[in-house]
Amino acid sequence: CSSGTRFPNGDGTDGEYVGFATLPNQVHRKSVKKGFDFTLMVAGESGLGKSTLVNSLFLTDMYRDRKLLNAEERITQTVEITKHVVDIEEKGVKLRLTIVDTPGFGDAVNNTECWKPVADYIDQQFEQYFRDESGLNRKNIQDNRVHCCIYFISPFGHGLRPLDVEFMRALHQRVNIVPVLAKADTLTPSEVERMKNKIREEIDHYGIRIYQFPECDSDEDEEFKLQDQALKESIPFAVIGSNTVVEAKGRRVRGRLYPWGIVEGNAMGGPVPAGTGTSRTPSPSCGPHAGGLGRGAGGAP
Amino acid sequence: CSSGTRFPNGDGTDGEYVGFATLPNQVHRKSVKKGFDFTLMVAGESGLGKSTLVNSLFLTDMYRDRKLLNAEERITQTVEITKHVVDIEEKGVKLRLTIVDTPGFGDAVNNTECWKPVADYIDQQFEQYFRDESGLNRKNIQDNRVHCCIYFISPFGHGLRPLDVEFMRALHQRVNIVPVLAKADTLTPSEVERMKNKIREEIDHYGIRIYQFPECDSDEDEEFKLQDQALKESIPFAVIGSNTVVEAKGRRVRGRLYPWGIVEGNAMGGPVPAGTGTSRTPSPSCGPHAGGLGRGAGGAP
């Protein structure tokens, strides 16, 4: 028998059903009302398409007022941390997206310890949150902890570069690192495969602990499980970003227009020739594992 | 009246014509017999296709026994200078090509003064030549002075990187620097144009003196003059190299096979879609200005 009770309204109609079966609905309504927070860090040397990928992923233009430094300014420049916040709404669900950028990373002639400002920033957010949680007013804590760090690996290196290894080693205990192979449209499919294998080997060899996507629930259907498996096997994701809309076979897509063909921006899988009808794979931050990402980061001190 | 005389041979036929009009022929014969020396240096961070471009330019395989270092080895690695010598023959004319490579350049985490071993090497060659020329046996001097340095600029930077500026500034008094925009097939034509303009501006701004191609002779025909002009205006050259032979519209070309099209390796101009019949522009080292390159380097102390 049900423990729920119906409270009749004053006008005689049935009122709201009250009982624990409505809890999921309440959680759903509450989270819709409150919205979600997601803090994403992007790191990697300049020119690898970090801003472009963020814009492609969330279909926004986060860096409208960005000013690129010239070589002279970059000589004296140190790594700084910038924060861009944008409110995105999709089907009524709100997301407060914070992008933490690391301009200047790997840009200098001497890059010794250039991961340090990044590590310090992440630690500070944990500390701040810890202090806020120990305080009295725990209701309106602003959570600025970094959920995920997308690390961009140059497609031109013969595998990881020393700086890549140093960065990931210094930060893998602090944040969920998702390595991506940047600008994958500059590689042929066989080169992408070779590069991915090399990176996987080196990540293993150097004991770098990148983010492990959680197991998918056992009650998911077969197709989803296969897709999930394929996604996990394609780490590090090869990404192609674009902010320009081009026309390919009658469709308007975000892509890159080369004299020898059009490449469709693709947030995750291998390069996809435009107009072949291959569907976009889910983006890392909005995909099936977004919840997992948040949980992981929250737990680490 | 001619100052030349014909010496009749013993058998009554006309012998060889002797006179200063044969001097050019003598020079020609002598240079064919002796062959030419050309020493080319390639510099730029690893993965920008230096070896590939050299192989594409001279249609050889200079780096058959090359071993790529992994990230760990590269951490402790310093910039070294390696020399590959290959004898090439084209229509009976011999060229002794020396490629000076700078593996490890720009690879480390700290790249302070990593141009120094390169500068030292060049200076040593000048000194050696000077000593040999002051010695007694001047006939068989081995000339190892570097005629030209092709400097590879990454297509991903937003213009020159601090390391590029430092390198070129440190070496522009010592060697003829020919900057090239590496892996130009990774950029769309408008990006190539923007990048070239940016690089030209910055080279100007930082007072970097790159190699100036000599004026072409005034008695050359119009078409050649126009081509020469176009070449000069396209500095820094955008290069695409490839060591793989692919088939494009029935022709077998050196190129890169992307899912969205084939790019034909092109030593100099902008990216050329394969199979459009665009002819290869002359390569920098074998083109009309090769003599000029040699002269320039020989003159500098």
Side-chain angles (χ1 to χ4, degrees), chain A residues 45 47 71-72 74 109-112 156 160-161 183 185-188 191 205-206 256 258 260-261 263 271, chain B residues 45 47 71-72 74 109-112 156 160-161 183 185-186 188 191 205-206 256-258 260-261 263 271:
Chain A
E45 55 180 300
E72 198 165 35
R74 276 188 279 167
V109 172
N110 180 354
N111 292 307
T112 313
F156 290 168
L160 294 178
R161 298 181 186 203
K183 297 205 168 175
D185 58 329
T186 65
L187 299 174
T188 63
E191 284 169 340
H205 176 79
Y206 295 116
R256 292 175 59 75
Y258 288 109
W260 42 86
V263 188
Chain B
E45 56 180 299
E72 200 164 34
R74 277 188 279 168
V109 173
N110 180 352
N111 293 307
T112 314
F156 290 168
L160 294 178
R161 299 182 184 200
K183 296 204 169 176
D185 57 330
T186 65
T188 65
E191 285 169 339
H205 175 79
Y206 295 115
R256 290 176 60 75
L257 186 64
Y258 287 109
W260 43 86
V263 187

Side-chain angles (χ1 to χ4, degrees), chain B residues 27-42:
Chain B
V27 172
H28 179 266
R29 218 167 40 229
K30 219 169 145 184
S31 65
V32 167
K33 202 175 140 200
K34 216 180 140 208
F36 293 90
D37 272 329
F38 190 72
T39 304
L40 178 71
M41 175 179 263
V42 286

Side-chain angles (χ1 to χ4, degrees), chain B residues 95-117:
Chain B
L95 177 73
R96 189 167 165 275
L97 176 72
T98 310
I99 301 291
V100 181
D101 203 347
T102 57
F105 176 80
D107 254 15
V109 173
N110 180 352
N111 293 307
T112 314
E113 301 217 320
C114 77
W115 46 265
K116 207 141 194 320

Side-chain angles (χ1 to χ4, degrees), chain B residues 267-288:
Chain B
M268 217 160 179
V272 174
T276 55
T278 316
S279 69
R280 238 180 214 235
T281 39
S283 55
S285 56
C286 314

